[in-house]
Structure formats: C-alpha cells, structure tokens
Amino acid sequence: MHVGILLPGFSSDENDWAIPVQLTLVREMAHIDDVRVITLRYPHRRNSYSIYGATVHALGGAQVRGVKRLKLWSDAFQKIRNLHRQRPFDVLHAMWADETGLIAAWSGKWLGIPVVVSIAGGELVGFHDINYGLQRSAFSRWVVNQALTQADCVIPACSYTAKLITKIGCEVPPENIRTIALGVDTTVLEPQPPNKSTGDKTDLIHVASLVGVKDQQTLLRAVARLDAAVTLTLVGSGPEEARLKELANQLDLANRIRFIGAVHHSEMPHYYLDAAIHVLTSRHEGLGMVTLEAAACGLPTVGTAVGLLPDHNELGITVPVGDDAALASAISNLLRNDEHRRALGNSARDLVQSRFTIQHTLRQFRKLYQDLMQQRTRRKS
C-alpha cells in the first residue's frame, strides 16, 4: 500500500526519538508498505530525507501562526498533491485531529483519497487555567471539527477519548469511529520475568513532561501522605520543574523525590524495572502511552481515570482526577499487598503482549486502510 502520514513533527533522523511511538510505527510500516511522512513543523528545516525506508518531507513550519500558518497549510496541500501525482496514495493518515487532520481531510476530498484521523492529544479538551487543549478557542474548535467530520474514519485510542467526541458536540457517525491504541515496542521495553519479586520495593515512578496537564502537584501531595520510606522518581522535564521543586520543599519531600530530567527512550526499562508502581496523575490523556510502557515491563499503574487505564483493570487502579487522598490510599494499599501488586504487574505485561504491541497496532491500521480502499472502490463502481 501507498500510505501518507501527516504529523506536526517527526524524527529528524533515526537517532532522534522525538515521539518514540511514531518513529517505531513508521519503521515497522515501512517494512511492508510505501510510507511517505509529511511533517508540518518539526524538524525546523525544509527538506526531504529517509528514515528506515520511509521518505520524510519536512515543511519546516516551526512556530508560525496567523497568516503564515495559512501559507504552511497551502504548502502542505501542494506537497500532498505533488506526491500523489508522482505515486498515488492509497490512504492518508493524520496522527492528530488538529491542523494535520484538517489538511489530510481536505486533501482527501480534493484528490479522492480515503482519510484516517487519529486523536492523539488535547484536541477534545480545553483547560483555561493551564492553557491546555484545543477546545479553548473558536478557531481551534473549528479546525478539530473539520478534521473529524470530514475524515472517512476517526480513531480514538480508548473509550474515554471516544466519549469526548460526543461531549464536544462533534457529529461523527458511529460507523466512522474505530478504537485503536498505539502499541509499544517490546524489543525496547522488555517484559519483566513472570513472578519476579517486587516485595522489597517502595519506589514510585512517574514519567511525563513537567507541565500543568500532567498535574504533578497532586502527585507530590499524595506522596506527602505516604509512609516516609516511599520515594518517587520523576522522569521528564518541563516548565513546571521549578514550581514542583518548591512544592517538594514545602511538603518536606526533598529527600524522597528524585528529579531525573529527560531520559532516552532506550534507557526507560531500567527505571521502570527499579520501581514498584507507576503513577500517572494527568487531568487528560488521549491514551497514556506510559501506562503501556510500564506494563510492558511488568509494572502496574495507579492513575487517574483518563486515557486507556479505565478500560483495562489488568493495567492497574484508577482514581478520580485531582484527588490526592484517593491516590495516596490506592498507592498505599498496593504497596502493602505484594501478591496483588505482583499479580497486577503480570496481568499488565500479559495484556500488552496479547493486545498492545506495535505489531498489533500495525495490523489494525492496515486492516482499516484495506477496508477504506475497498469501500472507495465499491462507491466508484
């Protein structure tokens, strides 16, 4: 198949893990299909190059806004049209339901190509207090609506995200929605051996950018409620780091919290395997990829009821958003029950192996593409 993938940003080379799951997906897909990636904003250069057999066409849009954004969109339309003339696309797949989704949807209508739009981040929410989400402005809401309603198929990663489509009043026919989660690369995130004892561990791990939507303040307040022997490793960097360190000092947690900063994707198993529980406190997750990454390493998650976690009890335990008391109680109970924690770790690992590897994702995507191509052929005949 000839697949066009639209992204706001993609790896600049094979060693750049800008978004690890996207690089892994393109690598696996390019083994089978002709894959051309059109990336709007990152890398911040305009050129074409090859990664794992896929061709990447970077438009170098960086942070352009206003009228310059319209020029970027026009360039993207023209690039897709030219690439289609050279070698016709069988399907276009936008991995965000934002401007990439809109460009894919309009290009598909214009050129007669089936279009898939995946919901990947904050497209369906709007938190004004932390300046997060595309539902905060009328223009962004219009862009999202165009992307979703004009696509041939919309992909949420979980039931939580699928419900948000209706909640924002976006009229996507149910038959045009197919739930598919991006899976993990288990060659990098190797499973923990079954029944490996974690009874002597009291270390929590949290893997996320230090930004408002991840709500690490609730996480720190929960840790302050736990036994003094419980420690927390924070993997990630971001603008909230100084504020979180100040809060840690206020809560007398300075000796119990490690701020590791950004870690290369290939090094993450070491951190997961050293922990007892993975904790995720986000106010919103389109999927919550780190939940699956931790699970692949045999680590259960205690997290807020967003993203994929509420769909699968095998992955861990859910608590209400922003409730540090409920979060602390769930963590404490799981730390005290070694057998339950071990069983959850095993069930989480088994679930990833049976349903959520990157190979599972690729098979589902390719089946969807083939279905859309057949539908288009039947309509033409």
Side-chain angles (χ1 to χ4, degrees):
M1 283 186 286
H2 303 286
V3 182
I5 296 179
L6 279 74
L7 290 162
F10 188 68
S11 302
S12 59
D13 56 54
E14 293 178 1
N15 297 312
D16 177 7
W17 292 81
I19 304 178
V21 68
Q22 301 292 355
L23 179 60
T24 302
L25 177 65
V26 167
R27 182 193 70 200
E28 295 301 306
M29 190 177 291
H31 289 325
I32 307 170
D33 298 311
D34 166 36
V35 179
R36 285 167 284 176
V37 178
I38 299 95
T39 175
L40 271 63
R41 297 181 177 275
Y42 179 84
H44 300 159
R45 65 178 191 269
R46 188 183 181 92
N47 71 335
S48 298
Y49 54 98
S50 178
I51 289 185
Y52 292 120
T55 305
V56 183
H57 301 276
L59 300 184
Q63 300 299 318
V64 299
R65 295 291 185 268
V67 175
K68 290 184 178 180
R69 170 187 277 186
L70 298 180
K71 174 63 166 56
L72 175 63
W73 292 7
S74 176
D75 289 348
F77 288 130
Q78 189 64 42
K79 173 62 72 174
I80 292 169
R81 186 176 72 171
N82 289 342
L83 292 174
H84 186 61
R85 284 176 174 173
Q86 295 169 13
R87 196 164 62 252
F89 290 109
D90 292 315
V91 64
L92 295 174
H93 189 162
M95 294 293 181
W96 258 265
D98 56 3
E99 60 185 357
T100 56
L102 178 144
I103 291 166
W106 284 6
S107 296
K109 297 292 184 185
W110 183 21
L111 299 172
I113 309 167
V115 172
V116 177
V117 173
S118 288
I119 302 165
E123 300 99 308
L124 307 184
V125 296
F127 302 134
H128 292 278
D129 59 320
I130 56 173
N131 296 318
Y132 178 84
L134 295 185
Q135 294 298 305
R136 290 177 296 124
S137 75
F139 178 72
S140 292
R141 289 195 297 272
W142 175 80
V143 170
V144 171
N145 186 76
Q146 286 292 303
L148 297 180
T149 58
Q150 299 299 313
D152 295 279
C153 183
V154 172
I155 299 181
C158 54
S159 61
Y160 162 82
T161 303
K163 291 173 184 175
L164 289 175
I165 299 173
T166 302
K167 187 175 180 180
I168 66 169
C170 193
E171 297 181 358
V172 179
E175 63 271 19
N176 287 4
I177 299 174
R178 189 174 300 192
T179 301
I180 301 174
L182 291 171
V184 298
D185 181 1
T186 52
T187 65
V188 174
L189 296 152
E190 295 184 8
Q192 183 168 307
N195 300 316
K196 180 177 179 180
S197 174
T198 59
D200 59 342
K201 295 181 180 179
T202 58
D203 191 26
L204 311 177
I205 186 170
H206 173 83
V207 183
S209 298
L210 304 183
V211 294
V213 72
K214 303 298 182 179
D215 195 14
Q216 285 98 359
Q217 292 191 27
T218 291
L219 174 58
L220 267 58
R221 292 191 178 97
V223 173
R225 292 174 175 269
L226 298 171
D227 185 276
V230 178
T231 60
L232 170 67
T233 298
L234 286 167
V235 179
S237 60
E240 290 292 304
E241 183 171 348
R243 190 174 304 173
L244 291 169
K245 287 182 175 178
E246 181 181 353
L247 179 59
N249 288 329
Q250 292 173 3
L251 296 171
D252 197 24
L253 295 175
N255 295 327
R256 296 170 57 192
I257 296 181
R258 294 192 302 159
F259 288 83
I260 298 297
V263 171
H264 193 277
H265 186 61
S266 63
E267 298 298 316
M268 282 309 305
H270 302 300
Y271 291 92
Y272 285 128
L273 292 173
D274 280 343
I277 300 172
H278 169 247
V279 186
L280 189 63
T281 49
S282 302
R283 292 173 61 176
H284 167 77
E285 291 284 350
L287 166 60
M289 178 58 65
V290 288
T291 301
L292 293 178
E293 291 180 356
C297 296
L299 196 63
T301 292
V302 175
T304 44
V306 298
L308 187 69
L309 185 60
D311 287 348
H312 299 282
N313 293 333
E314 303 97 321
L315 292 172
I317 299 168
T318 58
V319 298
V321 170
D323 191 336
D324 58 279
L327 182 66
S329 177
I331 292 170
S332 180
N333 290 338
L334 199 55
L335 285 174
R336 287 198 301 264
N337 192 332
D338 296 342
E339 184 177 351
H340 186 205
R341 189 167 77 254
R342 208 160 32 238
L344 267 181
N346 290 339
S347 68
R349 183 197 61 247
D350 292 345
L351 181 68
V352 167
Q353 291 284 6
S354 63
R355 293 187 57 180
F356 293 113
T357 67
I358 197 67
Q359 288 77 22
H360 285 95
T361 302
L362 180 56
R363 285 195 291 270
Q364 291 177 84
F365 279 171
R366 296 190 81 249
K367 175 63 166 59
L368 171 60
Y369 300 160
Q370 289 165 354
D371 290 346
L372 292 176
M373 290 162 58
Q374 289 170 4
Q375 291 173 17
R376 186 61 59 100
T377 299
R378 284 196 296 267
R379 283 199 295 267
K380 286 182 179 179
S381 60

